Amino acid sequence: MEIVRKISQARSLAKQWKNSGLSVGFVPTMGYLHQGHLSLVERSAAENDKTIVSIFVNPTQFGPTEDLETYPRDLRADLALCEDAKADLVFCPGADDMYRPGSCTFVEVSGSLTAGLCGASRPDLFRGVATVVTKLFSIALPTRAYFGQKDAQQLAVIKRMVEDLDMDIEIVSCPTVREDDGLAKSSRNSYLTPEQRVAARVVSRAVFEGERLIAAGERDPVKVTASMRKIVEAEPLARIDYIEVVSAQTMEKPEKIDGSILGALAVFVGDTRLIDNFILHV
Ligand code: PAF
């Protein structure tokens, strides 16, 4: 497995592979890898000739009061995990390489896809994500890129961006990986104290309840979100940021549940903001 820090090194290897007719799978990450990330790397390795993983805590997607400085980092462990998961190249640039002085170009996906849910509470998030993912795509030259469904809104934004900008890249959506008690795997779970970790169970319990209600025939989004809300509100350590049922395609709120539906929530447990969701086709 190659490990490179420079954009030019990563691009030159990616170009070499593409020019030899090899397919390249790409998994962009912010590091502190867990089984959710590794499931993407393993899938990419199974579906492509070469797999590139990027590890970069992207400053442009954090708001001024968010956890950029404290975001967990462990490059040594990440590299060992990438090797085990059969990555061929890990690209881990520094922030100064990715954003050189004077850099002032951003990619913005506008409209309903980014206006609500995480876009409402984290206004810098999707502009930062779309910009860095565009840059990483232009370095890694992937045939396919792998993203987790846990970040369902991010996935919808990336899919739209790839379509709108005519990028010749297949975006592959992979299922959320969970802990035994249901909590969705996330690098930010490491912030939780043991007491908060127990309290965090309400997040996935709310997801499973929303999913269950719709699968059982409930079609009123207000009733579904009210039941999900009740579960989270019963936990004193949890504070709701949002709980919504929206169209999985447009992220708009429907009058009635129909078609592809995303039920999504963001909940603070202490200072840690956790997200989770379900997607159903009814
Ligand atoms: O999902 C993430 O970890 C990040 O948002 C991504 C896609 C690596 C962009 O920084």
Side-chain angles (χ1 to χ4, degrees):
M1 185 180 82
E2 304 260 0
I3 302 160
V4 303
R5 288 189 177 276
K6 293 273 165 258
I7 291 175
S8 56
Q9 296 170 306
R11 181 178 281 135
S12 130
L13 268 171
K15 253 192 192 159
Q16 212 176 296
W17 291 334
K18 287 305 277 284
N19 290 344
S20 322
L22 300 177
S23 59
V24 174
F26 177 49
V27 182
T29 81
M30 299 209 297
Y32 213 69
L33 304 180
H34 51 66
Q35 197 48 49
H37 297 112
L38 298 177
S39 70
L40 310 180
V41 181
E42 284 159 6
R43 178 149 173 203
S44 170
E47 293 180 354
N48 300 279
D49 298 313
K50 297 287 180 186
T51 288
I52 303 178
V53 178
S54 65
I55 298 179
F56 178 61
V57 182
N58 172 37
T60 63
Q61 71 190 74
F62 287 78
T65 61
E66 291 181 353
D67 56 344
L68 173 61
E69 295 309 321
T70 55
Y71 195 83
R73 292 160 168 91
D74 189 347
L75 186 58
R76 189 190 289 241
D78 288 347
L79 294 175
L81 291 168
C82 285
E83 177 121 54
D84 286 351
K86 307 267 181 290
D88 297 285
L89 165 62
V90 179
F91 173 49
C92 37
D96 297 345
D97 295 317
M98 285 300 279
Y99 297 104
R100 289 176 295 282
S103 160
C104 55
T105 304
F106 291 90
V107 178
E108 193 152 353
V109 176
S110 60
S112 64
L113 272 187
T114 52
L117 309 178
C118 289
S121 23
R122 303 185 61 195
D124 302 313
L125 175 64
F126 292 118
R127 185 170 106 135
V129 168
T131 302
V132 82
V133 169
T134 301
K135 286 168 72 70
L136 291 166
F137 281 175
S138 92
I139 296 163
L141 309 172
T143 317
R144 301 184 186 87
Y146 296 79
F147 293 85
Q149 195 208 292
K150 199 204 112 204
D151 297 298
Q153 192 176 14
Q154 166 172 284
L155 195 44
V157 167
I158 302 286
K159 280 187 177 160
R160 182 82 247 169
M161 178 187 88
V162 163
E163 198 177 320
D164 288 352
L165 298 183
D166 305 302
M167 295 177 175
D168 187 15
I169 300 168
E170 184 189 335
I171 302 300
V172 183
S173 157
C174 302
T176 301
V177 177
R178 299 181 179 280
E179 302 287 355
D180 288 344
D181 67 355
L183 181 68
K185 299 247 184 194
S186 163
S187 306
R188 289 189 169 101
N189 292 350
S190 64
Y191 295 146
L192 300 168
T193 65
E195 194 190 12
Q196 290 170 343
R197 174 64 188 76
V198 174
R201 288 180 189 157
V202 289
V203 180
S204 56
R205 279 184 47 221
V207 163
F208 301 150
E209 178 60 6
E211 209 168 14
R212 189 193 67 76
L213 283 171
I214 297 176
E218 181 57 66
R219 293 292 176 263
D220 181 350
V222 177
K223 286 198 180 140
V224 174
T225 51
S227 298
M228 293 170 71
R229 189 168 278 278
K230 213 166 140 194
I231 290 172
V232 180
E233 280 173 351
E235 171 51 62
L237 297 183
R239 180 169 57 83
I240 295 169
D241 179 7
Y242 67 76
I243 299 185
E244 309 243 15
V245 169
V246 298
S247 150
Q249 254 95 49
T250 63
M251 305 283 146
E252 282 169 327
K253 289 189 200 179
E255 294 279 308
K256 187 173 169 284
I257 291 173
D258 192 22
S260 288
I261 283 291
L262 169 69
L265 76 170
V267 171
F268 284 95
V269 178
D271 291 334
T272 305
R273 186 172 174 281
L274 302 172
I275 59 171
D276 201 349
N277 65 74
F278 64 85
I279 293 182
L280 280 179
H281 307 278
V282 297

